[in-house]
Amino acid sequence: MSRRLSKQFSVEEVLVQVSGYEERTEIKQEIDEDVSEVEDNTDFDPDFEETDQSTAGEGEAPEEQAPEETFKSKSGYLFWSSSLQDRGGSPGPTQYAISHVDDIKSSFQLFLPESIEGIILEMTNLEGKRVFGDTCREIDLVDLQAYIGLLILAGVYRSNDEATKGLWDAESGRPIFRATMSLEQLRVLSRIIRFDNRDTRQNDKLAAIRNIWDRWVERLPLMYNPGPEVTIDECLVPFRGHCPFKVYLPSNPGKCGIKVWVACDARSSYAWNMQVYTGKPSSGGAEENQGVGVVLDKTTSLQGHNTTCDNKPELSPAQVSTRGREALSSTCAFTDTHTLVLNVPTENRNVIPMSTLYKDAAVSTTEDRKPLIIQDYKKNKGGVDCLDKLTGTYTCKLMTARWPVALFHKILDVSAFNAYVVWTAIDPTWNQGKSFKRRLFLAELGKALVTPLIQRRQHIPRTPASASLVKSVQAPVSAAALAALPQQRHGQKRKRCQLCAPRDNKTSLRCCKCDAYVCKAHSHLTVTCHSCA
């Protein structure tokens, strides 16, 4: 039976003893008192209240609770309560996220608020004037959100690898693309979209997107409290154009691109922290203890969580050797803080996991006799890989030759996925039981982002489907008119058509007058267009 260590160690102490890493800057003295997860977000939570908690003495009779009273502050922005409020801290969305989410669009805007969108608008309009001069029309927030919505919808339809011209095709394209904006307008936006001012750019490899990247990463931990298991790993943003810190990873399906370190929840795969690898330092020297530095950076504010990551501890040649060792055998090595298991699953192959959570080398009762440390590692190691797979399934990435745009597409993918995690945690009953909930979420999010631009569009598209869609959005049918239309009735069960006897023809359609089960051959189906639907 595995047990936890009776003594707790900080991440710095763990990594120093494993790999000999020593920080060149002094590590601040740790505070001994326990700090809850919610205290990290108090500056951003308008409902946060600080109270002194005290416990009643043993044996005292519980006092009768007074009715709860609410007091409004002088400014009107703060409300005080006479009873203790639930401040969160448990795994899941934070109180700040819960209080700011009303619909799917607002859950997405938790990660891309107007402050970040305003920077993109300012820099994009500046680039538009530089390229096209005074003839360029300035875009506003509605245009930018519609552009983002079309990127998300392209990912929903798995059209990210398709030529953009095909999305606007009159026959094979999607009507919503033509209904939102013209193909020429999308190409202009894709050409001039910028995230910084190139005239004031600093000597920073990530300067082209640093301004919004740092602001976006700061918001990730404010919206979600990770569970007890956290995974730290690397992922690759596929990109083959010119980039000063492009890497080549032959084991990754993308092979070539931008490496990003990610810390995410091992269960929900919520991206809690991210960092772009910008290559070797400007001094030109070799990097030392890169993995240790990343783990220290990504585990900030994660005290009390079990972190799973890939790291190479310092081992002797005798420990790594598999000569003379039987298959399915395991041996242990110990330090004051760590347990190292040297497992040989097959001949001439070893697996060496290390843990500060387990004190012994307990093995499972299954036939393979795997150590519990290995089972725990396999259970939690796939958090980042799952995030990479899910965001890649409906990615909004379009073909681009600019690496800042490729990272911007990654921001949109991760923001949409995190918004889905937050939304389904707040409303677990939303589309409950469906296996394609995330696709429905992305489709609804994309439509919510493009709808404001469709509503103010003055020119109607030429294709009938797109024109009908624009008219239905700009002049929706009232609820009373919809109720007056004849509706098909569907029974809860399929029964035999009463007009097909003696043939056993099952149907779920029911007559709106006599309530009899009838098939399509013996019924008149009402067909309506998009404008009247």
Side-chain angles (χ1 to χ4, degrees):
M1 191 71 177
S2 60
R3 297 172 292 176
R4 293 177 180 265
L5 292 176
S6 58
K7 184 178 180 181
Q8 296 183 351
F9 299 88
S10 66
V11 178
E12 291 85 355
E13 295 172 338
V14 168
L15 294 175
V16 165
Q17 298 194 26
V18 173
S19 57
Y21 172 79
E22 295 183 0
E23 287 190 327
R24 298 177 182 176
T25 58
E26 296 183 358
I27 301 175
K28 295 182 180 180
Q29 184 178 2
E30 297 183 5
I31 301 176
D32 294 334
E33 61 185 8
D34 295 335
V35 181
S36 64
E37 288 290 323
V38 74
E39 291 183 4
D40 297 333
N41 302 334
T42 54
D43 295 339
F44 302 88
D45 190 352
D47 299 329
F48 179 79
E49 307 163 6
E50 185 175 0
T51 59
D52 295 329
Q53 297 182 2
S54 60
T55 56
E58 296 182 359
E60 295 181 2
E63 298 181 359
E64 184 178 357
Q65 295 183 354
E68 181 179 356
E69 296 183 9
T70 304
F71 306 94
K72 187 177 182 180
S73 65
K74 183 178 180 180
S75 62
Y77 294 100
L78 186 64
F79 293 89
W80 298 91
S81 176
S82 60
S83 61
L84 181 64
Q85 301 296 306
D86 182 15
R87 300 180 183 177
S90 58
T94 61
Q95 292 297 322
Y96 177 83
I98 295 175
S99 61
H100 285 73
V101 171
D102 299 322
D103 51 16
I104 289 179
K105 183 179 178 180
S106 61
S107 66
F108 178 75
Q109 290 177 333
L110 288 175
F111 306 96
L112 282 180
E114 292 187 4
S115 59
I116 295 180
E117 292 177 336
I119 297 175
I120 302 175
L121 279 177
E122 181 183 358
M123 298 300 112
T124 301
N125 287 325
L126 186 64
E127 180 69 13
K129 291 182 179 179
R130 191 189 68 83
V131 175
F132 299 102
D134 296 335
T135 60
C136 181
R137 181 185 67 86
E138 288 192 358
I139 65 171
D140 55 10
L141 190 61
V142 175
D143 294 317
L144 179 61
Q145 290 183 354
Y147 175 75
I148 294 175
L150 290 182
L151 294 179
I152 293 175
L153 288 175
V156 172
Y157 302 140
R158 302 288 191 91
S159 302
N160 57 299
D161 292 330
E162 183 181 350
T164 54
K165 186 177 181 180
L167 299 176
W168 269 258
D169 187 79
E171 297 180 357
S172 61
R174 299 278 182 169
I176 194 170
F177 289 93
R178 277 178 167 264
T180 304
M181 65 175 65
S182 64
L183 177 60
E184 184 63 26
Q185 185 179 358
L186 180 91
R187 288 175 172 173
V188 170
L189 285 175
S190 299
R191 179 181 179 183
I192 66 175
I193 188 167
R194 292 293 187 276
F195 315 102
D196 78 317
N197 187 354
R198 63 170 63 188
D199 297 331
T200 60
R201 185 174 297 175
Q202 302 295 328
N203 187 17
D204 180 13
K205 292 183 179 180
L206 204 65
I209 199 174
R210 172 77 71 182
N211 200 11
I212 69 167
W213 177 270
D214 291 345
R215 294 171 183 265
W216 174 71
V217 170
E218 287 176 358
R219 299 188 66 85
L220 297 181
L222 304 181
M223 309 304 168
Y224 195 85
N225 294 320
E229 308 291 345
V230 176
T231 306
I232 298 178
D233 204 350
E234 63 184 22
C235 67
L236 190 71
V237 179
F239 182 75
R240 294 185 175 273
H242 173 71
C243 180
F245 44 87
K246 184 173 58 177
V247 298
Y248 176 70
L249 298 178
S251 60
N252 192 285
K255 304 296 182 184
C256 190
I258 303 172
K259 185 166 71 172
V260 181
W261 296 98
V262 183
C264 70
D265 182 64
R267 296 294 173 266
S268 65
S269 294
Y270 177 93
W272 197 79
N273 201 343
M274 298 181 70
Q275 176 183 339
V276 178
Y277 172 68
T278 55
K280 295 182 179 181
S282 57
S283 59
E287 290 183 285
E288 297 180 359
N289 301 308
Q290 180 196 74
V292 175
V294 170
V295 172
L296 285 175
D297 188 28
K298 298 299 104 181
T299 52
T300 304
S301 303
L302 283 178
Q303 292 83 359
H305 295 264
N306 302 322
T307 304
T308 301
C309 58
D310 293 329
N311 196 12
K312 295 182 180 180
E314 294 185 354
L315 302 175
S316 65
Q319 291 176 307
V320 180
S321 176
T322 58
R323 181 177 299 177
R325 298 182 58 187
E326 298 180 357
L328 301 180
S329 63
S330 300
T331 59
C332 296
F334 303 93
T335 66
D336 295 340
T337 58
H338 297 74
T339 299
L340 191 72
V341 175
L342 297 94
N343 178 253
V344 182
T346 58
E347 292 185 3
N348 301 324
R349 179 176 176 269
N350 57 1
V351 179
I352 309 176
M354 182 187 63
S355 174
T356 58
L357 179 64
Y358 292 91
K359 190 176 180 180
D360 52 22
V363 297
S364 63
T365 57
T366 57
E367 184 179 355
D368 54 6
R369 294 183 295 172
K370 283 192 178 295
L372 297 182
I373 294 179
I374 295 180
Q375 290 187 342
D376 186 70
Y377 171 76
K378 288 185 175 181
K379 182 180 179 181
N380 300 315
K381 71 175 182 178
V384 176
D385 295 334
C386 182
L387 171 68
D388 202 21
K389 177 183 177 181
L390 291 174
T391 55
T393 302
Y394 299 112
T395 179
C396 65
K397 177 181 67 68
L398 296 179
M399 186 178 298
T400 179
R402 294 190 289 128
W403 65 264
V405 177
L407 282 179
F408 178 65
H409 293 160
K410 187 67 175 180
I411 289 177
L412 297 181
D413 287 335
V414 175
S415 298
F417 178 79
N418 283 359
Y420 168 75
V421 174
V422 171
W423 174 255
T424 52
I426 294 176
D427 186 7
T429 61
W430 182 78
N431 283 326
Q432 192 173 15
K434 294 184 178 180
S435 59
F436 48 94
K437 291 169 59 176
R438 184 164 167 262
R439 182 171 64 83
L440 296 176
F441 175 87
L442 293 175
E444 190 170 339
L445 172 62
K447 293 175 182 177
L449 291 172
V450 303
T451 297
L453 185 59
I454 297 177
Q455 290 176 341
R456 77 175 190 184
R457 181 163 184 174
Q458 298 179 357
H459 302 285
I460 303 299
R462 296 179 181 179
T463 57
S466 299
S468 177
L469 179 59
V470 172
K471 293 178 181 179
S472 63
V473 172
Q474 293 181 350
V477 182
S478 63
L482 288 176
L485 292 175
Q487 301 290 334
Q488 295 179 6
R489 300 191 59 184
H490 293 264
Q492 295 182 354
K493 297 181 180 180
R494 291 173 58 85
K495 292 187 177 181
R496 183 182 301 166
C497 175
Q498 298 183 8
L499 301 179
C500 286
R503 291 193 304 117
D504 188 13
N505 189 10
K506 297 295 180 60
T507 180
S508 61
L509 296 177
R510 300 171 64 182
C511 179
C512 59
K513 294 184 178 180
C514 64
D515 210 28
Y517 280 85
V518 289
C519 64
K520 293 182 179 180
H522 295 94
S523 61
H524 298 284
L525 301 180
T526 303
V527 179
T528 56
C529 66
H530 288 285
S531 301
C532 300

